Amino acid sequence: MLPEGEPAPPSGALPDSALRAVAATPFSLYVHVPFCRTRCGYCDFNTYTAGELGQAHDASQDTYLDAAIAELDLARRVLGDDVPLVSTVFVGGGTPTLLPSDDLGRLVTAICDRFGLAADAEITTESNPESITADGMKRLVDYGYTRISFGMQSAVPHVLTVLDRVHSPGRPQQAVAEAKAAGFHHVSLDLIYGTPGESLADWETTLEAAMAADPDHISAYSLIVEPGTRLANRVKRGELPMPDDDDLADKYLLADDQLGGRGFAAYEISNWAANIDARCRHNVAYWKGFNWWGIGPGAHSHIGGTRWWNVKHPARYAARISEGVSPAHAREILGDEDRRVERVLLELRLSDGLDRSILTGTERRRVPDLVSRGLAVVEDDRLVLTLPGRLLADGIARDLLD
Ligand SMILES: C[S@@+](CC[C@H](N)C(=O)[O-])C[C@H]1O[C@@H](n2cnc3c(N)ncnc32)[C@H](O)[C@@H]1O
Ligand code: SF4
């Protein structure tokens, strides 16, 4: 479900309050590729298999890139000449690497032609390990991609089966080696912990396999049982148990211990990097509240305190684009207090911590209690969660805010 919001203008025009922030704020692009070969039972992302799209020709993979490029044109018109060079691009999904490498290359060229890319631009694509070859990776590097993130999830066959992942164990590790040989500067693996039937030893096996592949970035997410998914239905029918909070906490601690032992540090609660350069700058841009335009069905955007989100279905998206109107479904213009609360929620998750000066007087008076309970420390006037604090981050943010 998309949030409600207020109507977004068909022209895509932004309020002056948003446009005023364009020139001085780093700018990123997200491009959503809403296609997957099969749907994993736990996933409720906005993605479609060929069967789910049926005969909707306008929504097909073949015509998708032209629609995405048309939205880039719209973005360029709306943002005007003051928009800075693009600092990060993230092509996510879905499964971006279901598109031919040449299409993914055409996308980078289109971005470069319309906006220009910063000399050190980070250009990431997500990929399912079975959806790309070594040769395809070389072509992506030639087209300018600097970073690739593979969905590995687990190294343990019975866990992959519960997750409906179709790659064979071992393929993600091989894909990391191919990506490094192809010349990607940064390679990341996504892992999931807490899958029903996964033991602590299984999770340790996965962490060891991921580390042995030698990526420079790992994202590890606790399995969320999203309502309406096949996984949720199986849990509801009692076929599978709900992930257990204590088990999830043990697995988080194990991850931090194992990854920390290999020199990886968590720079955000679910993201570990081998060094500062290996941090995903695109995600950091989200967490710091910079500007980004999200291209594609269901994609979210944020420019200077105005947030909007596109229509969800690829056929509706394609129809809007072919009519020459903005694909935005609705938007919201955040007030100063909304933006402050958002900063608290996001910055508290970062290892750099939260700037204490943005807290109200009442909120600041709650900090000593967090510190005395060992949940946070104050460093250079920033509030930084400790490891036990990271396990309780959402509750801490709720308790801290007025
Ligand atoms: C939406 S996928 C897109 C990239 C690619 N298709 C893949 O599966 O890796 C990005 C990541 O989101 C995570 N993810 C998706 N659904 C999740 C869920 N219900 N719980 C936890 N993580 C989830 C997975 O780790 C996945 O790698
Ligand atoms: S491959 Fe990725 S995006 Fe596609 S259904 Fe699975 S988790 Fe979701």
Side-chain angles (χ1 to χ4, degrees):
M1 284 285 287
L2 288 171
E4 286 297 322
E6 60 174 54
S11 64
L14 289 172
D16 287 345
S17 60
L19 290 175
R20 271 197 298 276
V22 165
T25 311
F27 179 60
S28 294
L29 282 164
Y30 171 75
V31 182
H32 188 66
V33 179
F35 309 113
C36 286
R37 192 157 283 146
T38 56
R39 178 180 284 275
C40 309
Y42 59 90
C43 178
D44 81 339
F45 276 64
N46 190 35
T47 185
Y48 304 81
T49 62
E52 286 167 347
L53 286 176
Q55 299 304 312
H57 168 75
D58 286 350
S60 82
Q61 289 175 37
D62 304 340
T63 51
Y64 179 63
L65 203 75
D66 289 332
I69 291 175
E71 192 184 353
L72 282 175
D73 283 327
L74 172 78
R76 181 66 181 77
R77 275 198 307 278
V78 169
L79 295 172
D81 291 338
D82 288 344
V83 61
L85 299 177
V86 178
S87 31
T88 69
V89 178
F90 194 100
V91 188
T95 309
T97 46
L98 276 186
L99 297 181
S101 310
D102 288 345
D103 272 6
L104 293 174
R106 196 149 68 85
L107 178 65
V108 173
T109 309
I111 291 171
C112 196
D113 289 349
R114 283 153 187 79
F115 292 94
L117 286 161
D120 65 345
E122 173 192 274
I123 308 181
T124 303
T125 185
E126 287 187 323
S127 178
N128 289 31
E130 75 287 356
S131 69
I132 189 160
T133 61
D135 216 43
M137 292 187 217
K138 283 198 196 105
R139 282 205 295 280
L140 291 182
V141 170
D142 289 343
Y143 285 126
Y145 285 81
T146 62
R147 190 171 179 278
I148 189 162
S149 172
F150 294 110
M152 170 172 173
Q153 321 310 353
S154 173
V156 178
H158 72 89
V159 175
L160 288 172
T161 304
V162 174
L163 292 175
D164 296 322
R165 294 300 290 204
V166 292
H167 60 252
S168 40
R171 172 59 198 152
Q173 296 91 307
Q174 186 188 28
V176 172
E178 290 168 359
K180 291 207 276 187
F184 280 99
H185 301 175
H186 301 292
V187 184
S188 180
L189 289 173
D190 279 356
L191 304 177
I192 287 183
Y193 58 93
T195 301
E198 181 192 58
S199 66
L200 200 59
D202 289 335
W203 176 231
E204 188 163 17
T205 302
T206 294
L207 288 165
E208 277 167 6
M211 287 283 91
D214 201 24
D216 66 357
H217 187 281
I218 300 251
S219 303
Y221 303 112
S222 65
L223 179 68
I224 311 288
V225 178
E226 300 284 2
T229 56
R230 263 202 320 277
L231 175 69
N233 291 335
R234 294 182 72 190
V235 170
K236 213 184 324 175
R237 288 199 298 269
E239 281 171 37
L240 294 171
M242 189 73 177
D244 168 78
D245 282 346
D246 290 339
D247 178 60
L248 293 175
D250 288 345
K251 286 175 177 165
Y252 184 82
L253 294 174
L254 183 65
D256 197 65
D257 185 56
Q258 299 271 311
L259 299 175
R262 302 289 192 109
F264 277 58
Y267 64 104
E268 191 268 351
I269 289 181
S270 306
N271 288 278
W272 286 259
N275 53 63
I276 289 186
D277 286 346
R279 294 179 179 185
C280 175
R281 283 168 43 210
H282 187 84
N283 281 340
V284 171
Y286 290 155
W287 299 324
K288 299 234 161 168
F290 293 164
N291 287 340
W292 74 90
W293 192 296
I295 302 281
H300 288 233
S301 302
H302 167 261
I303 302 284
T306 295
R307 263 202 307 237
W308 70 97
W309 42 96
N310 285 349
V311 292
K312 235 180 136 176
H313 197 279
R316 283 192 68 206
Y317 175 80
R320 289 277 191 100
I321 294 284
S322 69
E323 287 157 16
V325 294
S326 160
H329 170 73
R331 74 178 186 188
E332 61 184 347
I333 299 169
L334 301 177
D336 290 345
E337 177 58 9
D338 297 326
R339 296 189 79 181
R340 189 189 73 82
V341 166
E342 191 147 286
R343 263 188 79 184
V344 172
L345 294 172
L346 293 173
E347 290 186 16
L348 206 51
R349 299 178 63 88
L350 302 177
S351 64
D352 291 346
L354 167 71
D355 182 349
R356 221 165 34 144
S357 69
I358 70 164
L359 295 175
T360 64
T362 316
E363 289 165 353
R364 264 202 293 269
R365 282 192 287 281
R366 294 180 182 136
V367 168
D369 177 53
L370 290 175
V371 173
S372 70
R373 287 159 62 207
L375 299 175
V377 291
V378 177
E379 288 169 2
D380 299 333
D381 220 26
R382 299 188 76 84
L383 184 65
V384 182
L385 294 185
T386 58
L387 183 56
R390 271 149 57 192
L391 289 170
L392 301 171
D394 292 341
I396 292 175
R398 264 197 313 274
D399 291 349
L400 193 59
L401 284 164
D402 272 338

